[in-house]
Amino acid sequence: MPTKRSSSRPSRSSGPSRRSKRTSSPAVFGTHATPRSSTSRRPSVRRSSKSAPTLRQSVRGTTAKHSTRRRSPASVNKRSAEIHQMEVSTNSVDQRTSQHAGSRSRAQEFMKRRRRNNLILAGVVIVVVALLVFGIASCAFRTFASASMALNDEAVSNELVAVEEDQPYYVLLVGLSNYEEPSEAASFISILRIDEQNNEFSLLNIPNNIKVSYNQGEQDLLRNMVRHGGEAELVRAVKNYTDIDFAHYLRITEEGLEKLVDDIGGVEVNVQYRVDDPRVGHVVVPPGQQNLTGEQAVAFVSATNFTSGRTQRMDNQLELFFNLLNKMTSKEGLGWINDSDVVSSAIKTDMSYDLLSSLASIYGNGAAFYTSTMPGSQYFSNDVICFAPNTSTWAQTKERFLNGGDPNTSIDTSGVDKSKLSIVVQNGSGTDGFAAQAAQILEQHGYTIQDTGNADSFVYTETLVIYRSQDDEAAAEAIVADLGIGRAVYGSVYYSLKTDIQVVVGQDWKPVN
């Protein structure tokens, strides 16, 4: 801030005085030889510490100012001195105009900088205020979302363990249905392994019709544990059967799934087989690429009246799970926030909104994701379809699942005696000649083909190698490898086989040239 200067004025005397005049430009005046009267005196001048120089200093320089002296009339009349020198320094009009323009230009530049600085300051203030408001709103939303999806089940919380730092942890995912007795209560059960350090997810499907023990030795299917002791009993049963501890629990109901799918505008899935199960309602979903509504999505993951029964239903559940997850995590910014609001009202979990948002971000950034299913076969027990794990294969699958990476086990087919297998090849694609082509390829690899023909229908979208006994699983895998296409499926109660292996050629078959 510029220093405020004090002005220097001559002190007033009792006699008449004459004001000094200041020239607009500096001047140098000659010295005057004036007789001093006895009454004349030099007026005193009051100066600040930074006042003008003395009269003597001004005369020597080129920028002296007038000094005022009061004289008597007599002294003026008796002036005898002559003016020896007068030098006046002036600036040309152009120079003064240039200086004035320069001063105005500097003033304009100063004002421009000042306005710019004010705009920058205003912008910073707006950004800071916006961040504060957004931070408060975001914090409030996260708090609201966490409260909306809070499970608030102390019994379930008591079954969970703490997450070890920098270690993978496991989440039990459950889909609860609303079917009355004697239908199932938990239609979807999976274990999600999360390895944040390596950006890796693994999903292990657990069949819900495994027989488990509860209440000191009583037995029932895993899906019914909710009826015997609530969700905590279901968590406890899965933990005891798999010997896996869970850090978190998340479940969704049919109403929640239906609302979620509808609120995000549906989910695109590839429907392999027509969905038309009276047990789950009147909804019918035709095969092909479909954008499912909420009601259709519930029917899609609940129906079991397929040729492969619950095996196909598990495939449908995985199809919907991943497509739903991909649609949710592909959005950014406000889109994800809006969907998060829907999610928070559709699910119940002990996980916070921040944790779910972080996991969604990891998944959306291309994390590895593996899936597998507990291997085994199905059987009847008192007219109820149950599931029995294949002990040795399940042990391998579980070990790989716990260690990370792809948990799917590869089956050793080196000991398969191809000549001793009885095989029939059927055409399920509807295109003439496909069954004959597949049979010819298998014969070239040393298999014996007993018969070829058409399947019961032409709705098979993929080639299936169905085996009658668990002992023939390795043979079925060998056939898949030799055909270069297809999937091995245990026949169980869903297929009536007259041979060891039945090959059904589907629409995915590539014609042989």
Side-chain angles (χ1 to χ4, degrees):
M1 191 172 180
T3 304
K4 184 176 183 181
R5 298 180 184 272
S6 60
S7 60
S8 300
R9 292 184 179 179
S11 60
R12 295 180 180 271
S13 63
S14 56
S17 63
R18 183 171 56 190
R19 295 183 180 273
S20 62
K21 296 183 179 179
R22 298 183 180 179
T23 59
S24 59
S25 57
V28 177
F29 292 89
T31 57
H32 296 265
T34 305
R36 296 177 182 269
S37 67
S38 60
T39 59
S40 65
R41 60 179 177 177
R42 187 186 303 274
S44 62
V45 180
R46 200 172 38 174
R47 293 185 176 90
S48 66
S49 60
K50 296 184 179 181
S51 61
T54 64
L55 180 60
R56 186 181 299 274
Q57 293 170 335
S58 298
V59 171
R60 293 176 180 175
T62 59
T63 59
K65 295 183 179 179
H66 285 293
S67 176
T68 304
R69 175 181 292 180
R70 185 172 60 87
R71 298 181 177 88
S72 64
S75 62
V76 173
N77 294 332
K78 296 178 179 180
R79 182 186 307 169
S80 60
E82 295 179 355
I83 297 177
H84 299 291
Q85 177 182 4
M86 177 179 289
E87 295 180 0
V88 180
S89 175
T90 60
N91 294 328
S92 66
V93 175
D94 292 342
Q95 186 175 359
R96 288 198 301 271
T97 302
S98 176
Q99 289 177 349
H100 178 70
S103 299
R104 184 172 58 185
S105 176
R106 286 193 295 273
Q108 290 175 344
E109 182 64 26
F110 171 78
M111 295 303 295
K112 185 185 297 184
R113 287 199 302 269
R114 186 172 181 178
R115 286 194 298 269
R116 184 170 63 248
N117 291 339
N118 288 341
L119 289 174
I120 294 174
L121 179 60
V124 171
V125 171
I126 292 173
V127 171
V128 170
V129 172
L131 288 175
L132 287 174
V133 172
F134 178 78
I136 294 172
S138 178
C139 180
F141 173 77
R142 292 197 304 268
T143 302
F144 168 77
S146 295
S148 297
M149 62 189 178
L151 184 64
N152 295 326
D153 191 326
E154 185 177 356
V156 171
S157 298
N158 291 336
E159 297 296 330
L160 306 177
V161 300
V163 177
E164 297 183 19
E165 187 176 0
D166 297 335
Q167 293 297 317
Y169 55 93
Y170 302 88
V171 182
L172 181 60
L173 306 178
V174 173
L176 296 181
S177 63
N178 300 322
Y179 304 131
E180 301 296 333
E181 294 279 4
S183 298
E184 56 196 8
S187 59
F188 176 75
I189 302 173
S190 285
I191 301 173
L192 179 64
R193 179 183 183 271
I194 301 174
D195 187 351
E196 295 186 32
Q197 298 301 310
N198 296 310
N199 294 331
E200 183 180 286
F201 296 90
S202 299
L203 187 69
L204 175 62
N205 285 322
I206 307 297
N208 69 347
N209 53 341
I210 299 173
K211 273 194 174 182
V212 295
S213 299
Y214 72 99
N215 193 22
Q216 298 180 349
E218 295 186 54
Q219 283 197 330
D220 200 351
L221 298 180
L222 185 60
R223 66 192 181 211
N224 295 327
M225 290 299 103
V226 178
R227 296 192 175 105
H228 297 299
E231 294 175 67
E233 186 64 38
L234 177 61
V235 175
R236 188 162 42 247
V238 178
K239 180 175 66 174
N240 292 338
Y241 193 86
T242 61
D243 197 25
I244 297 176
D245 291 325
F246 303 114
H248 298 291
Y249 172 78
L250 185 150
R251 59 102 161 139
I252 186 170
T253 62
E254 286 183 346
E255 291 94 338
L257 177 61
E258 183 174 342
K259 183 178 186 302
L260 176 60
V261 172
D262 283 337
D263 285 348
I264 65 174
V267 178
E268 289 278 347
V269 298
N270 180 25
V271 181
Q272 289 188 329
Y273 302 104
R274 175 185 172 91
V275 176
D276 186 7
D277 190 344
R279 187 182 64 88
V280 300
H282 64 281
V283 178
V284 176
V285 183
Q289 197 72 21
Q290 305 289 347
N291 184 54
L292 300 183
T293 64
E295 187 180 30
Q296 290 174 325
V298 171
F300 180 68
V301 298
S302 302
T304 58
N305 62 338
F306 304 106
T307 305
S308 56
R310 282 176 168 77
T311 300
Q312 181 59 45
R313 183 178 71 168
M314 283 195 293
D315 290 344
N316 290 350
Q317 290 173 342
L318 282 178
E319 174 83 5
L320 183 72
F321 175 83
F322 281 106
N323 289 5
L324 179 62
L325 188 60
N326 288 334
K327 184 169 185 177
M328 296 289 293
T329 55
S330 64
K331 296 188 176 182
E332 298 178 356
L334 294 177
W336 164 247
I337 291 177
N338 291 335
D339 286 351
S340 298
D341 186 24
V342 175
V343 170
S344 65
S345 63
I347 68 174
K348 294 298 179 183
T349 180
D350 66 296
M351 292 187 284
S352 67
Y353 167 82
D354 287 342
L355 177 56
L356 286 177
S357 180
S358 173
L359 295 178
S361 178
I362 294 174
Y363 176 81
N365 288 329
F369 206 117
Y370 303 101
T371 62
S372 62
T373 300
M374 177 183 286
S377 59
Q378 304 191 63
Y379 65 96
F380 273 110
S381 176
N382 298 325
D383 295 329
V384 177
I385 300 176
C386 304
F387 182 86
N390 184 311
T391 307
S392 60
T393 311
W394 161 236
Q396 297 175 39
T397 302
K398 177 185 170 183
E399 182 180 5
R400 294 190 180 190
F401 174 73
L402 296 177
N403 291 333
D406 191 351
N408 295 297
T409 58
S410 58
I411 302 206
D412 184 10
T413 61
S414 59
V416 174
D417 188 349
K418 300 178 181 181
S419 62
K420 293 184 177 181
L421 293 173
S422 58
I423 303 173
V424 61
V425 180
Q426 295 181 337
N427 188 348
S429 68
T431 303
D432 292 341
F434 279 7
Q437 291 179 6
Q440 182 179 7
I441 291 174
L442 292 177
E443 288 177 341
Q444 292 173 352
H445 282 86
Y447 297 96
T448 301
I449 307 300
Q450 292 190 351
D451 195 12
T452 60
N454 290 328
D456 53 354
S457 65
F458 297 133
V459 297
Y460 292 84
T461 58
E462 64 175 331
T463 299
L464 301 179
V465 180
I466 308 166
Y467 55 97
R468 183 170 56 180
S469 169
Q470 290 188 15
D471 295 336
D472 295 324
E473 182 180 11
E477 292 291 349
I479 292 175
V480 170
D482 290 334
L483 287 176
I485 198 172
R487 176 165 61 97
V489 177
Y490 178 58
S492 185
V493 298
Y494 299 108
Y495 296 92
S496 178
L497 304 184
K498 297 180 181 180
T499 57
D500 298 329
I501 304 289
Q502 177 176 312
V503 178
V504 181
V505 181
Q507 297 170 6
D508 59 347
W509 180 264
K510 304 299 182 184
V512 178
N513 294 328

